Amino acid sequence: MSRSQLRSYAILDRRLQRRRSTSLGLYLAAVLAASTASARADDFSALFDRDTIVSVGGFVGRGPRFQGSKQTGLWGLPYLSFRKVDEPRDWWSPDDGLDVTLISQGALQAGAVLDFREGRHNNDDRRLAGLPRLPVTVGIGLFGEVWPIADTLRLRAEVTQGVRAHDGLIAKLGADLVARVGRFTLSAGPRFVVGDAAAMRLDFDVPVGTALVNPILTPYRASAGPRSAGATTALSYDWSDAWQTLGYVRYDRLIASASDSPIVRHVGSANEFTVAVGAIYSFRIAP
């Protein structure tokens, strides 16, 4: 596999209107990082080649307003990538973090990754009254992926630490089976997420002070360990060398300490669904 690709995204549901300065700053920082970093050291020259293929596009979707939310909100996902003209279009999953490939050895790739983390506000659900407000933030870390069966089976892991010390560490594990039939590409596979104590408590703890003002929520302290298990599937269609459309569905089931939280049991739901559709346009930069 040879990839020279940058991706950037930001949550754009109605929470963004309340947190514009925070989330917009994070988004601009992500775009700046993407535009100034190489997707792979030996492929950085693709940016300056006489002929380079640039892909731009975007996605719109609907997903949980916060971790464990029963209600959903809109989000947006801008897309940007580039590759050399002699490189095939690589497959990727819409739920991958923004990554920069620094090491590529055959079927193995590794590098840096940036992942956005949902926030939470009392306006998301009035029954959250008394809970601390969580701003939209990002996690920064490393990713690694390997293709045991070329172009058919991918294994990927992302480990990120929140930019604030108390944001905690989150590890995301996944596997994808990829099948190409004519112009269609279908993928599906499991997802598993683990969080350390800080990350779990941030999203699922109920402080004693909250319980005193909100009788719906009882005091609770989450613990490190499994966070969610689920699966995802995506379908894309190549209308031409220039145009591609995609559809995406992901299901996550909060488990263990996360599902036991009163936030999930009394306000939200352990079942989380995310759906999205999008389009990508690729064009060749000629001298």
Side-chain angles (χ1 to χ4, degrees):
M1 301 290 293
S2 175
R3 177 169 60 194
S4 182
Q5 178 168 286
L6 301 172
R7 296 189 296 275
S8 60
Y9 60 93
I11 297 172
L12 297 177
D13 64 9
R14 69 183 181 92
R15 295 195 305 261
L16 184 60
Q17 302 303 317
R18 297 192 300 269
R19 305 169 188 170
R20 181 172 297 175
S21 61
T22 299
S23 56
L24 180 59
L26 291 172
Y27 174 64
L28 291 176
V31 173
L32 179 61
S35 63
T36 58
S38 64
R40 205 180 73 194
D42 59 348
D43 281 344
F44 186 71
S45 59
L47 286 172
F48 309 102
D49 279 352
R50 292 169 60 87
D51 293 307
T52 296
I53 296 178
V54 178
S55 299
V56 295
F59 301 82
V60 292
R62 206 164 181 91
R65 293 192 177 279
F66 57 89
Q67 287 292 310
S69 173
K70 184 181 295 185
Q71 301 181 19
T72 60
L74 292 174
W75 55 266
L77 181 79
Y79 178 92
L80 168 67
S81 72
F82 65 91
R83 68 181 189 273
K84 297 179 180 179
V85 292
D86 59 350
E87 290 180 346
R89 177 186 291 165
D90 279 348
W91 181 88
W92 55 278
S93 176
D95 61 348
D96 290 350
L98 184 158
D99 60 47
V100 178
T101 302
L102 301 175
I103 300 173
S104 182
Q105 297 292 334
L108 174 66
Q109 294 183 353
V113 66
L114 183 147
D115 196 19
F116 278 82
R117 299 185 182 182
E118 299 95 333
R120 184 182 66 207
H121 194 279
N122 289 345
N123 290 341
D124 290 328
D125 193 310
R126 294 181 179 179
R127 293 172 295 173
L128 298 174
L131 281 175
R133 175 181 176 274
L134 301 180
V136 176
T137 187
V138 297
I140 301 173
L142 302 173
F143 86 93
E145 69 177 49
V146 63
W147 291 78
I149 304 177
D151 297 323
T152 302
L153 174 62
R154 185 192 74 160
L155 307 178
R156 181 179 172 98
E158 299 178 7
V159 180
T160 59
Q161 166 65 48
V163 292
R164 303 170 302 177
H166 63 279
D167 287 340
L169 191 75
I170 292 180
K172 299 181 178 181
L173 310 174
D176 296 278
L177 281 173
V178 183
R180 293 181 171 86
V181 181
R183 294 179 177 269
F184 288 96
T185 301
L186 174 66
S187 65
R191 295 293 187 267
F192 187 66
V193 182
V194 179
D196 69 358
M200 296 293 285
R201 291 170 183 169
L202 191 68
D203 286 318
F204 303 108
D205 267 13
V206 178
V208 174
T210 296
L212 294 177
V213 300
N214 187 342
I216 296 178
L217 302 174
T218 55
Y220 182 76
R221 192 167 182 81
S223 59
R227 184 184 186 102
S228 67
T232 183
T233 184
L235 178 66
S236 66
Y237 183 78
D238 296 332
W239 297 91
S240 64
D241 290 339
W243 284 100
Q244 180 187 54
T245 53
L246 300 93
Y248 167 74
V249 179
R250 174 165 172 163
Y251 167 73
D252 291 286
R253 170 77 182 186
L254 296 176
I255 58 177
S257 180
S259 63
D260 290 337
S261 170
I263 298 173
V264 177
R265 291 188 292 109
H266 301 317
V267 176
S269 171
N271 299 302
E272 299 183 331
F273 290 91
T274 301
V275 297
V277 293
I280 296 174
Y281 175 68
S282 299
F283 59 93
R284 181 172 176 174
I285 298 178

